[in-house]
Amino acid sequence: MNTKIIGTGYDLPAFAADNDYLATLVDTSDEWIVERTGIRTRHLAKEETTTSMAVRASVQALERAGMKAEEIDLLIVATITGDTETPSTSCRVQAEIGAHRAVAFDVNAACSGFLYGMHIAEAFIRSGIYRNALVIGSETMSKIIDWTDRSTCVLFGDGAGAAVLAGTEEPGILSQIVGSNGGKWEVLECQGRPNENPLNKEERKPGYLTMNGQEVFKFAVKTVPVCVEEALEKAGVAADEVKYFLLHQANKRIIQSVAKRLGQPEEKFPMNLDQCGNTSAASLPILLAQMDEQGLLQRGDKLVLSGFGAGLTWGACLLEW
Ligand code: UT7
């Protein structure tokens, strides 16, 4: 049994903040942000929530898949910015879309979360436990950003992307690689609530995202090409046979470096980071859904999805569209 993506969807908040807007908040400039990252605007949530964006992306993905919510067996939301500590965002999405038959849970693997979700979904479908899955990446990064820290606040955006996966005899996912290195957890982190129990009156605010940007940059340019090559090798597919490499939309320079290391032309590496910034777990499914919407994906095209993020975590997925 193979696993194929049969529908995609995405949602972005209505408000788009350009670099000049951020320059009114912190000491930065459009020139610095564009040159170092390639980002020009990012969408920021006002009314929207992690749940509401996930719901809209899911409804679109189900519509494009020609499926009803009640047919979904497995519902996974990849997020680090759920609206509630408990229940999971996935349970709230389940209720809102009416996927009452599904088992629903969240995955926390930061920007690699969507790839982790795909990995889990494929394992369940291939084993015959479930027939299909709705995998969503949804993030409201703006609520964990320190809006006084120019080194992080210019990078991230909010949004959601979703994909419906189903078991099929046709080729679909050809190989997947995921990895974690918890030894480097401090490189990119966001502390949770302080412990205010009677024994431990921890006096600090709930955490904001902090990052050693250069460490993450070095990790990304080293790890992403290796895991992409592993995924290709596992399936016996050459890089030249791949139509598009969809990489986590964090930084244009990271994507250019990976293209170079893989010996592939930059045109094969689509980008939306100029418009969306880094939307963490939502980054890959938003890009995929936008390309699908624009009619850029043809049946039989080989695609690679690859990302990296806090944990540290990483992953790559080779599939036939
Ligand atoms: O999903 C995973 C998430 N994380 C990533 O992908 C991040 C990977 N890392 C990066 O993308 C880059 O490291 C950054 C874009 C975060 C930073 O770029 P960089 O070229 O590594 O810059 P830097 O940290 O070395 O900083 C260079 C200078 C510093 O000033 P000094 O010390 O040279 O005077 C920073 O203070 O740029 C300064 N700077 C800024 N200046 C204007 C840092 N942020 C800004 C800013 N505007 N927003």
Side-chain angles (χ1 to χ4, degrees):
M1 179 65 72
N2 296 318
T3 304
K4 205 170 179 71
I5 295 179
I6 60 165
T8 62
Y10 71 100
D11 189 54
L12 293 166
F15 179 72
D18 64 14
N19 292 340
D20 290 335
Y21 173 82
L22 294 197
T24 66
L25 307 176
V26 289
D27 180 14
T28 190
S29 65
D30 178 57
E31 194 190 358
W32 190 96
I33 303 170
V34 172
E35 195 184 304
R36 302 286 178 123
T37 71
I39 298 167
R40 290 177 190 276
T41 61
R42 73 287 290 142
H43 292 257
L44 300 180
K46 201 171 161 200
E47 311 283 326
E48 300 86 353
T49 65
T50 301
T51 307
S52 76
M53 293 186 289
V55 165
R56 287 168 66 99
S58 299
V59 168
Q60 192 179 51
L62 286 163
E63 218 173 85
R64 289 195 192 157
M67 275 181 75
K68 293 193 170 63
E70 55 264 35
E71 293 175 76
I72 293 295
D73 291 341
L74 174 64
L75 194 164
I76 300 175
V77 176
T79 188
I80 53 169
T81 53
D83 300 316
T84 36
E85 290 282 331
T86 194
S88 63
T89 300
S90 53
C91 282
R92 296 182 59 180
V93 173
Q94 173 191 29
E96 289 216 24
I97 66 174
H100 53 80
R101 286 186 54 252
V103 60
F105 57 87
D106 288 1
V107 168
N108 177 337
C111 308
S112 313
F114 182 74
L115 292 168
Y116 273 53
M118 295 258 291
H119 192 60
I120 297 165
E122 192 215 353
F124 274 120
I125 292 170
R126 187 147 35 108
S127 67
I129 295 174
Y130 299 126
R131 295 165 306 168
N132 59 53
L134 174 59
V135 182
I136 305 157
S138 186
E139 301 283 17
T140 314
M141 294 302 288
S142 58
K143 70 184 174 192
I144 61 165
I145 294 301
D146 175 353
W147 287 97
T148 64
D149 176 10
R150 68 176 181 175
S151 70
T152 52
C153 78
V154 302
L155 305 175
F156 295 92
D158 302 333
V164 179
L165 278 64
T168 164
E169 294 306 320
E170 295 169 39
I173 292 174
L174 304 177
S175 64
Q176 296 202 79
I177 302 285
V178 287
S180 327
N181 176 8
K184 289 273 183 189
W185 72 270
E186 284 166 308
V187 167
L188 178 47
E189 59 143 326
C190 178
Q191 294 283 319
R193 287 167 61 95
N195 189 344
E196 292 168 336
N197 78 16
L199 308 174
N200 185 357
K201 295 262 181 253
E202 205 182 342
E203 284 186 12
R204 63 173 177 81
K205 291 196 294 182
Y208 292 103
L209 190 101
T210 59
M211 175 173 72
N212 180 332
Q214 290 188 1
E215 276 281 316
V216 178
F217 193 102
K218 279 188 266 174
F219 153 70
V221 296
K222 202 170 133 202
T223 310
V224 172
V226 173
C227 75
V228 168
E229 271 162 1
E230 275 177 44
L232 291 171
E233 200 177 314
K234 205 168 156 187
V237 170
D240 289 345
E241 293 175 60
V242 174
K243 177 118 182 246
Y244 294 115
F245 295 85
L246 286 74
L247 300 192
H248 172 46
Q249 301 290 296
N251 188 318
K252 190 178 180 178
R253 290 186 293 137
I254 294 178
I255 296 175
Q256 288 168 330
S257 163
V258 173
K260 208 167 158 192
R261 285 181 193 223
L262 290 171
Q264 293 294 307
E266 253 183 63
E267 303 77 68
K268 288 171 89 170
F269 293 74
M271 287 187 227
N272 66 4
L273 60 81
D274 57 327
Q275 297 301 314
C276 299
N278 179 347
T279 55
S280 185
S283 144
L284 286 173
I286 292 174
L287 182 62
L288 185 70
Q290 288 180 332
M291 292 179 70
D292 191 13
E293 185 177 64
Q294 290 159 19
L296 295 172
L297 307 175
Q298 309 299 326
R299 222 179 166 73
D301 284 350
K302 290 192 173 56
L303 309 177
V304 167
L305 277 60
S306 182
F308 60 92
L312 295 168
T313 56
W314 59 92
C317 172
L318 169 68
L319 59 88
E320 189 166 314
W321 191 248

